[in-house]
Amino acid sequence: MGLQRASVHHSASTWRQPAPSAASPERSALVESMAKRILDVGPGRLLVGIDGFTASGKTSFGHELAERISAAGRPVLRATLDDFKRPWKDRHLYDRESGEGYYRNAYDYDELKRLLLDPCGTPEATSAVLCSIDPLTQQSHAAETTALAPDTVLIVDGVFAFRPEINRYWDFRVWLHVDAELSVRRGADRDQDWAGSEAESIHRNRYLVAEGIYLQEVDPVPMVDVIIDNSTFASPRILTP
């Protein structure tokens, strides 16, 4: 008898992207191997962080991992750091639109820890919150909890996931590699609907600058468990053992 598929619980955020269709046997095999490596970490709760430049494919990869891990019988929670940003109504209190301001001020790490990471990292906790503030509607979901099982796997994607404020929480760290120009092109194409003609400028002058500060100050790549070249979606490659 095969394993019974477990549940995958997603954030209530309207920013949530759909799960991608299977792109190739090659990609499916890589995701399968990553899911196995994560499950091999241990039987209890696991916290997985997926980082990389904007538009490197973090959310899609997180969804793919979630499906593989749930198929192996482990319940999964899916979250993204974008659902734990400070509210736009307070943006007059700080700079969030320059590259440095975005890096320093956009994310609310205290809320992220209080609502999600601390509960998931505490064996006695029975629930966690997958979204603080919806990035699009600005509606608070902080009162909406999701049950935690003893063997839940939390998969969180987002830029700056390995900052010192939250790096200690992760049991497994994934870095998706794409070069800076590909990040800008992908991100600008993706965000045309809401950013219009400003999309490329936002990605080049805000997000890319912020990510440069992150690389310089934190140097996250050497601390990860695996680096995956995700430049070609159908043909990802593992760059580290």
Side-chain angles (χ1 to χ4, degrees):
M1 182 180 295
L3 292 171
Q4 182 174 356
R5 179 180 289 272
S7 59
V8 179
H9 291 283
H10 290 269
S11 163
S13 171
T14 58
W15 183 250
R16 178 159 62 94
Q17 300 173 34
S21 302
S24 66
E26 182 181 358
R27 185 172 184 87
S28 296
L30 184 143
V31 174
E32 182 73 35
S33 71
M34 287 298 101
K36 184 178 185 304
R37 283 185 61 175
I38 291 166
L39 292 173
D40 285 345
V41 172
R45 279 190 203 151
L46 298 174
L47 280 69
V48 179
I50 304 172
D51 202 342
F53 278 3
T54 298
S56 60
K58 299 180 294 297
T59 300
S60 292
F61 191 72
H63 289 343
E64 292 170 295
L65 273 181
E67 288 303 311
R68 296 288 180 169
I69 289 172
S70 69
R74 295 282 292 273
V76 180
L77 300 187
R78 278 289 289 121
T80 178
L81 297 183
D82 284 339
D83 291 341
F84 292 88
K85 287 181 174 177
R86 302 185 193 279
W88 268 110
K89 66 180 177 62
D90 294 336
R91 66 186 181 276
H92 65 285
L93 301 175
Y94 52 82
D95 168 24
R96 181 168 155 179
E97 298 189 27
S98 72
E100 180 157 4
Y102 186 79
Y103 179 67
R104 307 281 180 211
N105 302 318
Y107 292 88
D108 191 337
Y109 295 107
D110 289 339
E111 283 293 90
L112 172 65
K113 290 185 284 187
R114 182 178 72 86
L115 295 174
L116 179 64
L117 298 182
D118 281 332
C120 288
T122 303
E124 297 78 19
T126 58
S127 65
V129 173
L130 298 180
C131 177
S132 174
I133 297 175
D134 188 305
L136 296 182
T137 68
Q138 292 295 286
Q139 178 183 350
S140 174
H141 294 277
E144 301 175 21
T145 60
T146 301
L148 288 169
D151 59 346
T152 290
V153 179
L154 171 67
I155 301 175
V156 182
D157 65 84
V159 293
F160 321 142
F162 308 140
R163 281 179 62 145
E165 294 92 332
I166 57 174
N167 182 55
R168 67 180 177 86
Y169 288 92
W170 310 119
D171 298 299
F172 197 90
R173 298 167 181 82
V174 178
W175 182 270
L176 293 188
H177 169 78
V178 300
D179 67 39
E181 286 303 312
L182 180 56
S183 166
V184 170
R185 291 198 304 272
R186 280 185 181 176
D189 288 343
R190 182 192 67 192
D191 295 339
Q192 285 288 326
D193 287 347
W194 68 267
S197 61
E198 298 297 313
E200 181 174 347
S201 175
I202 290 170
H203 278 270
R204 189 175 301 282
N205 300 320
R206 183 187 304 171
Y207 300 151
L208 192 59
V209 170
E211 288 153 4
I213 295 170
Y214 177 48
L215 293 179
Q216 183 175 16
E217 291 191 358
V218 177
D219 193 20
V221 177
M223 66 180 70
V224 307
D225 295 283
V226 64
I227 302 170
I228 298 170
D229 186 337
N230 203 40
S231 302
T232 304
F233 192 80
S235 304
R237 297 183 299 118
I238 295 175
L239 301 181
T240 58

